Amino acid sequence: MPLSRTTTILAAVTLVTLIYVVAVESNKQLGSDRRAVPADGPHEIAAFRIEHAGGITAFERREDGHWYLTEPIRDRAAKAATEELLSAFLDLRKRVALEGDDSSLSDDEMGLGAGAMKVSFTGGSGALGTLALGAPSGLVGSLYARWADGEPFICWDTAKVAASRPAADFRDPELLGVAAKDIRRLKLKDDAGATLVIDKEKPDSPWLITKPLSAQTDMAAVTERLRLVSAMSAGTFIDRPDAAL
């Protein structure tokens, strides 16, 4: 009897362990397959383009490592806002596959027709494809989506909400876009055309006037003014200035 009980316990433990291992491996595989965008992280995305009813907003990462807007305007993109938007897409997971009544819905009923938001991704080796984001599904906070020509699925609506913002929200308001410590030359020109050039050879070198003559500067004054200029930011953007301005 003790032997039978021990055997039963060992068999039960073995079965539970086997189920656990299978579940863990299945979850690992499921986690990989559930990604809505086939990329392991932001570093694999070189550009992405959002097309929706409000227009087109496109981003590209250049060799300097910064993000830039290429549509509808060409400008430096705000780093934090752009990376937050990209992360919203990369964090998307397929919640459930369509089944039951959902499986018989048409593209138009799911909002995946011509009016769908379409997000195209480009990696270092070329196009990754396009993700279509459609209408709300029956699950709270979720919508219908489809990657490229694959099967429709349901995912969270957070990325679509974030991507619906106007392009102006992603423009970098900083006027210089470079830290004061990285600036090595200042060139000032007044209304009369006179030019003043101030140079700094190394980060720890003093600022020196090199044009129209060679002379030392008031280091504290130059540093303070440079700090003020580098901190300047745009309060708003005027892409279509009034003719009277």
Side-chain angles (χ1 to χ4, degrees), residues 46 60-70 74-75:
E60 70 175 14
R61 193 202 310 267
R62 297 182 183 171
E63 293 182 357
D64 60 6
H66 295 297
W67 282 101
Y68 290 83
L69 283 159
T70 57
R74 302 185 68 83
D75 196 2

Side-chain angles (χ1 to χ4, degrees), residues 174-206:
E174 295 183 5
L175 297 186
L176 291 185
V178 61
K181 64 182 179 61
D182 296 326
I183 296 175
R184 296 288 179 271
R185 165 170 285 200
L186 297 173
K187 185 176 182 180
L188 310 174
K189 189 173 183 179
D190 63 18
D191 294 338
T195 301
L196 172 67
V197 178
I198 305 175
D199 287 304
K200 187 176 187 180
E201 185 178 351
K202 298 178 181 178
D204 56 351
S205 298

Side-chain angles (χ1 to χ4, degrees), residues 11 20 23 48 60 80 96 113 123 125 149 217 220 222 232:
Y20 173 78
F48 61 106
E60 70 175 14
V96 293
S125 301
D149 296 324
T217 65
V222 173
M232 291 177 65

Side-chain angles (χ1 to χ4, degrees), residues 80-209:
T82 304
E83 292 183 348
E84 182 180 347
L85 174 61
L86 181 57
S87 294
F89 284 111
L90 298 181
D91 290 343
L92 277 182
R93 293 294 183 269
K94 303 174 183 178
R95 291 185 62 185
V96 293
L98 300 191
E99 56 184 21
D101 294 337
D102 282 339
S103 62
S104 61
L105 294 176
S106 67
D107 284 353
D108 288 339
E109 289 174 315
M110 291 184 290
L112 297 175
M117 174 183 284
K118 295 180 175 62
V119 188
S120 302
F121 297 90
T122 301
S125 301
L128 296 176
T130 300
L131 176 68
L133 300 173
S137 72
L139 297 176
V140 176
S142 63
L143 49 71
Y144 296 106
R146 179 167 54 209
W147 173 254
D149 296 324
E151 295 297 322
F153 57 88
I154 294 174
C155 67
W156 295 114
D157 61 4
T158 49
K160 184 176 182 179
V161 173
S164 298
R165 294 163 57 190
D169 286 0
F170 298 100
R171 296 178 73 170
D172 189 351
E174 295 183 5
L175 297 186
L176 291 185
V178 61
K181 64 182 179 61
D182 296 326
I183 296 175
R184 296 288 179 271
R185 165 170 285 200
L186 297 173
K187 185 176 182 180
L188 310 174
K189 189 173 183 179
D190 63 18
D191 294 338
T195 301
L196 172 67
V197 178
I198 305 175
D199 287 304
K200 187 176 187 180
E201 185 178 351
K202 298 178 181 178
D204 56 351
S205 298
W207 284 103
L208 298 174
I209 297 175

Side-chain angles (χ1 to χ4, degrees), residues 73 171 234-242 245:
I73 38 84
R171 296 178 73 170
T236 186
F237 296 99
I238 304 176
D239 295 319
R240 296 181 181 178
D242 191 300
L245 295 179

